[in-house]
Amino acid sequence: MNTDENRALDFVPQKEIVYNKLLPYSDRLDQESNEILAKIKNNLGRAVQLKELWPGVLFWTRKLSTYIRLHGRKFSKEDHILFIKLLYELVTIPKLEISMMQGFARLLVNLLKKKELLSREDLELPWFPLYEMLERILYSKTEHLGLNWFPNSVENVLKTLVKSCRYFPKNATLEMLQEWRPLMCPFDVTMQKAISYFELFLPTTLPPELHHKGFKLWFDELIDLWGSVQNLPGWEGNLVNLFARLASDTIGYIDWDPYIPKIFTRILRSLNLPVGSSQVLVPRYLTNAYDIGHVVIWISSMLGGPSKQAQRKLSGLFNSITSFYHPSNNGRWLMKLMKLLQRLPASIVWRLHRERFKKPSWLTPVPDSHKLTEQDITDFVECMKQPVLLAMFSKTGSLEAAHALQNLALMRPELVIPPVLEKTYPALETLIEPHQLTATLSCVIGVARSLVSGSKRFPEGPTHMLPLLMRALPGVDPNDFSKCMITFQFIATFATLVPLVDCSSAILERDDLSEVERELCSATAEFEDFVLQFMDRCFALIESSTLEQTREETETEKMTHLESLVELGLSSTFSTILTQCSKDIFKVALEKVFNFATTNIFETRVAGRMVADMCRAAAKCHPEESLKLFVPHCYNAITHLTVNEDVLHEEELDKELLWNLQLLSEITRVDGDKLLQYRGQLVQILQQTLYLKCKQGYTLSCNLLHHLLRSTALIYPTEYCSISEGFDRPLSEYFPIKDWGKPGDLWNLNIHWHVPTKEEISFIFYVLDTFLQPELVKLQRHADGEFEMSRDDRLQSLTIIQHCLMGSGSLLPSLNGEKITDLVPSLVSLEETSLYMGIDFGEYKFLFIVLDHILENSEDDTKSLFLIIKIIGDLLHFRGSHKHEFDSRWKSFNLVKKSMENRLHGRKKHIRALLIDRVMLQHELRKLTVEGCEYKTIHRDLLKDLLCLSTSAYSQVRSKAQQVFFTALGTYNFCCRDVIPQVLEFLKPGRQDITQQQFKGALYCLLGNHNGVCLANLHDWDCIVQTWPAIVSSGLSKAMSLEKPSIVRLFDDLADKIHRQYETIGLDFNVRHGILFKKYEKLINYLLDCLNQRNLPWKFEHIAIGFLSLLLRDDHPLPVQAIRFFVQSLNHDALVVRKMSISAVAGILKQLKRPHKKIKINPYELSGVSEPSEILAGDRQDNQWVKYNSSRLPKTRKDWEACHFVEKTHWGYYYWPCKLLVYAPPEEQPKLGRKREELTEGEQIIYEHFSDTKFIEQLINFLSLEDRKGKDKFNPRRFCLFKGLFRNFDDAFLPILKPHLERLVADSHESTQRCVAEIIAGLIRGCKHWTFAKVETLWKLLCPLIRTALSNITVETYSDWGTCIATACESRDPRKLHWLFEMLMESPVNGEGGSFVDACRLYVLQGGLAQQEWRVPELLHRLLQYLEPKLTQVYKNVRERIGSVLTYIFMIDVSLPKTLQTSSPRISDFTSRILVKLKPLMDADEEIQNHVVEENGIGEQDERTQAIKLLKTVLKWLMASAGRSFSTAIEEQLHLLPLLFKIAPVENDDSYDELKRDAKTCLSLMSQGLLYPHQIPLVLQVLNQTAGSSSWHARYTVLTYLQTMVFYNLFTFLNDEETVKDVQWLVIRLLEDEQLEVREIAATTLGGLLQCNFLNMDASMQTHFEKLCKTRLPKKRKRDPGAVMDTIPPADLVKRHAGVLGLSACILSSPYDVPTWMPQLLMDLSVHLNDTQPIEMTVKKTLSNFRRTHHDNWQEHKQQFTDDQLLVLTDLLVSPCYYA
């Protein structure tokens, strides 16, 4: 920063956009920004004082965000803090309209973005208002009833807002924990809420001295919770995100070592990699897996520090998953692996940047002891290298690998680049595998910068550049598009980085060169050769892509998409090369291009464009030399060809003339002042060619005119060289090799700008006078009727005008006219701020053309109309560049920046060309920021013209005009209010003169395009009051016809878009409060009036009702007439209307709900226990009183009123809230049993209708119709309706409903049962505040009804009844519902009505109990006692149901930290009872067959049969609980393992009976379970025991179980060396099993364990196997024909086979490389090729597998073998000849 600049500003800016200082007019910007900032501060402050949120505050906050976009945070620290505090206040206004809230939130996020600018001392924000806002919006109580409409984006906006606002006070952590701990009940959905709040809010950036007020308050509690949850509930991911953020913010202050094995085991599990063949997937493992982005942050924050444990585990992780990266593997898990690969290096680079290069700020620095050391970096790069190199050729493309390599090469180029080059050179040589070429080239592009800059670590890097470039040339291949594009990118990347200067003479001149530099110098002699060869290749490419004759004739003006991409690649690469050339090489190249362009004649569509592009590139680099060659040549050719007057009138012109015109029009796109010396010749050519008759001819000439004006009028940089001084200096002063890969210096960029001089500006006006003026006069006269013009003439004239506009747009003054100010009322000035564009505008008078003439006389001249639309668009928006061009340039700038940036050193160390590009973009951004312009009368006229064109008769004209129209609507302040009435004119029902096309055009104008303004749905009462009724009443217009599908579709889209985009509009902007209510009611009355029109088509009736239902709100009741309409519509004929009305009435009832009073109670006083000092969850003394206790149920009125009902299930499980609120006694609540006179008007309407028997009868009939057969479900909307009725009017309607309920219950039809279930659920939930007497009567009515219903239950309805009871019990104190529970508990499984009804009753009961979670231990015990004798059920459906019920019974028995033993049933007691009954199966040795006859015979069955039936139910329970519970009871399940091993089948065969299949599934699920360290020895003990079992099936299954279990708990196992030895010993022992199948699976398991690096291939293992191999087999004797065949003693054979299998496992464990020990093992194996079976078979299999997996890279692998070994191997691998 220079000091003089601060004087202009009088404050120290927080952080400005540096690029602004490099603009040619930077000296003016301080004054400009000061003025704008002062305006913003002044008006914003005033608007806030006046409490005028709309339009004042909104308008000026938008201006502030534009200011930040253009100037960065260019205000003082004090202002910054004030802005933030003001916006924070605004965002948290309680009833703020959502769209405003989002606008403020986005701006606030932007202000808080750069954390380092404001420290915790500068700023403190409260957290509670944000929490209240999230609670109100994300957990809205009224949204599901349609009383609030929030946009989809709101959740992300709010979360980002909280993330940015974490400047909370230091006591915030404690307050948050007190607020959210009570929600932590793991069985309840509130757990997810609590943990996600913790993840969002908890502050982690407190300084170390405050850590005791920060994470230390919760870290142990939450990490223990995380460590003890086993089955991946949804909230586990949120905890991981929280830990990742904590780790990253407090590197060095937390010791992660004790948790590291757990962390890595869980990360590995979360990748969901497949293990073994028959794996059963648990769906929640997929949906709730960790977010890789956070995992990566966590890992990279734990690396470093004194103990290197994290790095060891990370290496282990990559070792175990490397083989999954091989390109031959593919699956849904691959994306995750690739993401891990891409993000991890980036994260480490970011951390290094933070530790070594970042400016220190207030954020806590990493202590020196924990910074990453050089050794840490090397270890990290080493462990990532192998997987990255494999991933280069992945099926998903090489992008991720290239990104990873780019970051790895920044840290350790010498480790990463050589192996990439090793793969690249052969790929460049082969022609047959283009995929390999594209993959390697894109990876080399990633490391290009590290390669050419030749750092200390990798000095020989640059020597590879020339060989790579030369070999890449053949890639410019017309036949392979993708290869061609990647080659262009490759060459361009290297050319940008390196000056192409021949320095070979420096070897003689200088003596201070290192060895590598000398080598480079001599290599640079090849540059010239390279450039020329490249040009030859390009010429060949161009010649092969000429437009074929056939296309020439069928006027296709466009190139194909691919061709245009190639054109782009070619021209940008060529221009990069020429920019970076020395003058000598450039001259040769120029000559070559000039000759190529002038000796041939090209067609102008494809080849011509490419050649002209190449010439333009040359002209841009050195305009003087190039123009000297090209202009005279083209001038002579064109003048020569146009000497003859006849040329003017020819339809088809000479090819040569067209080609020269094209060439000339492209080479004039150069630095403007260089063109001036040729101005005479250029103007003369324009005069000769602008008036040609041939369209192609005059269009090219217009391009010339456009480029000529543009080159002289715009501001732009004139060179993009990588060194600002250029390369043309003698080698003695300047040595280019030093600048290879050098970044640009942001502070000394020395950009050469082109700024129009006086001379150029006068030239522009001379050209405009010469060519534009006559055309305008001509058209003016034509419009007045003095002068006839043919269509073609008119088109030509408009083309000239349009090109003049495009060329000189930046110099033309903005449109003048009166401002239109009366559109919105405001007490604050809404003036515009103007930006300086670098040019003082010249004065030039413009005449406006009258469109009407064309529209009246020849509306079908669409081509002229297209041009007119373009011209209007340019007049409105064009200031020298187009928005869409700017957007695509911004995008490509970001792409290039990403592919070449250096994230390690940061600080904008980009290539100079990129920095210049960014400054240019900054200039364009300023030009384009004219949005929010003042709306003047001239704009109004142009918009009218556009609207006229948007409703034209031709659809193409309409759609083009509509696009311009929509852009304009988004540009001018408040112009929509002006335009809407004009659009709605076309929809008025009374008008006779509207055509269908106009009608459609107007509808399209209302609809808007997908991202612009939608006129039909502006968030503004004034507009909606006009548009919605107009859309509805347009149904009566003459032009509307429902026969036309396009019109029907339009109305559907309109209604759909309004419903999708509607957000509740605020009614409360303080100042205009009353007015808004009037508008709201006016709109509702309008819509009701429309609905009352006699002949309104049904479609419009539905649209209107849809609009009405959007207007329900939670802060203002619906007007009475609308309530009446909706209640009556409950019985409308149309189903759609009935559905909308049900939702609406449910919402209305919510609006009419009377508030109920609450009082605070103290739970500790109620239970008579003192408050505990530490947190203990679970069943404590102080929460006993909330539980269900049949001896203390409130069965009398006195008990009922004395009882404190706690409705929310989670209160009190973990922690009591600070303020526990319960409802006050009944006498303080609103009055029940009111008479009609006591009701409000709205309530009376509902009361009357629902007391009317006819109305109710009809309603019930409608509700019990079926909607879609077999698809209907219990409908929550209808439930809400009835709940609301019974809540608001207590039992007023019961007498009328009672007969209906009794009738419906008896009818077993699906739809009637559903209807009654909905009503009953509504009744039970609605009677929450009834008096005891009323409730008791209600249950007397309900119990018999539910009994009847359950006896009539059917397949179709059981889920509805389950939902009904579950809904009824949700958030209700169980003591309130004791009638229901006692009735359901009577006897669920009593066999009445068959097994199906039993299962259903259980399902319904389960629904009720599951909602009550931990508060009904007594009922759960009673149920378990009842079920236990019935576990031997015969029927499968009852068994499955019992299994599921058992899961819920034991759900509460969790082993979470700080949780007391539960008083609900416990798994351990249950299993011990079961094991006694299963004993007969445990002891028996023979196969367990499923020989039970499926019938409950009267005769006593033997114990064994009973045990088998019991086992089936137990298996169902194990399977059901695998996916649902939080922690698995491992120790209890272990006792069942031996039994399961015995039953589970070995083969994958579905024909097995249920028992075996279930056993297999259970084993698969159990083997994937997460184990705690103390459980591992127990499991291994069981496995060892089973390995000695007599059944080989069991021994076989042990191995498959073991492999999955080890992989899914890899690091927990690896953490204890003893267990690793035990596992190894177990596998090796089973290798010598007498059963062949067991031996083979043991070998497979061994291979798997070696491959995931669980076991290491060490010398002892190798010698063990070699020794086994040498077991002697006795010689085969000549056998007598009658002798017994098998004479080899099996024990010896088994041992020998075991040895061979062991060797084979080792060989197959590294399928993609050849470790040092492998050649020897292969030799050992080869000896056994002729042994007896099964050995021979094993050897053959192994060899063929080895050959298959190593075939791809055999050239590489060959190097590991000696010649002798290769000979033997070739013999083995080549199959023997048949004829030998």
Side-chain angles (χ1 to χ4, degrees), residues 1221-1368:
L1221 296 174
V1222 296
Y1223 288 105
E1227 56 271 13
E1228 297 179 39
Q1229 300 293 14
K1231 183 181 167 190
L1232 295 172
R1234 294 173 295 170
K1235 301 204 172 44
R1236 182 170 184 271
E1237 303 75 65
E1238 302 170 55
L1239 304 174
T1240 63
E1241 198 180 348
E1243 289 175 318
Q1244 283 180 8
I1245 295 172
I1246 297 176
Y1247 187 85
E1248 280 162 16
H1249 280 88
F1250 279 90
S1251 320
D1252 173 5
T1253 42
K1254 281 229 176 69
F1255 180 84
I1256 291 281
E1257 189 175 340
Q1258 200 179 357
L1259 177 69
I1260 299 282
N1261 285 341
F1262 273 136
L1263 290 181
S1264 50
L1265 289 175
E1266 64 181 4
D1267 177 5
R1268 295 168 310 173
K1269 177 117 187 87
K1271 293 265 176 52
D1272 294 352
K1273 296 261 186 320
F1274 179 95
N1275 186 333
R1277 293 274 165 80
R1278 298 180 185 182
F1279 152 75
C1280 290
L1281 169 71
F1282 286 108
K1283 173 182 157 187
L1285 280 175
F1286 298 120
R1287 178 190 59 217
N1288 293 6
F1289 299 95
D1290 47 276
D1291 54 0
F1293 313 131
L1294 251 190
I1296 300 180
L1297 274 172
K1298 188 177 163 187
H1300 289 292
L1301 292 178
E1302 287 165 347
R1303 176 179 57 95
L1304 292 170
V1305 165
D1307 181 348
S1308 64
H1309 277 96
E1310 178 180 1
S1311 46
T1312 45
Q1313 289 281 323
R1314 179 169 312 110
C1315 170
V1316 75
E1318 286 158 358
I1319 299 176
I1320 286 180
L1323 254 173
I1324 301 178
R1325 283 281 287 282
C1327 71
K1328 184 174 176 180
H1329 296 291
W1330 292 11
T1331 53
F1332 178 71
K1334 290 189 174 189
V1335 174
E1336 200 173 21
T1337 343
L1338 173 68
W1339 281 109
K1340 281 186 184 137
L1341 163 73
L1342 282 183
C1343 286
L1345 286 178
I1346 296 178
R1347 275 201 195 96
T1348 319
L1350 290 184
S1351 62
N1352 283 338
I1353 206 158
T1354 64
V1355 184
E1356 288 87 24
T1357 59
Y1358 82 95
S1359 68
D1360 297 322
W1361 278 106
T1363 315
C1364 161
I1365 300 297
T1367 311

Side-chain angles (χ1 to χ4, degrees), residues 672-680 708-709 712-713 754-767 811:
D673 49 357
K674 307 282 187 293
L675 279 174
L676 287 180
Q677 62 193 68
Y678 301 104
R679 56 184 158 195
L708 190 60
L709 289 169
T712 41
H754 168 265
V755 180
T757 55
K758 280 222 173 77
E759 195 182 354
E760 287 177 78
I761 290 176
S762 61
F763 170 62
I764 292 171
F765 287 125
Y766 163 68
V767 172
L811 285 184

Side-chain angles (χ1 to χ4, degrees), residues 813-838:
S814 47
L815 303 172
N816 290 323
E818 289 291 305
K819 289 184 196 164
I820 299 176
T821 47
D822 50 356
L823 292 175
V824 281
S826 169
L827 308 170
V828 187
S829 109
L830 301 177
E831 57 187 321
E832 268 314 317
T833 47
S834 58
L835 301 175
Y836 177 69
M837 289 305 156

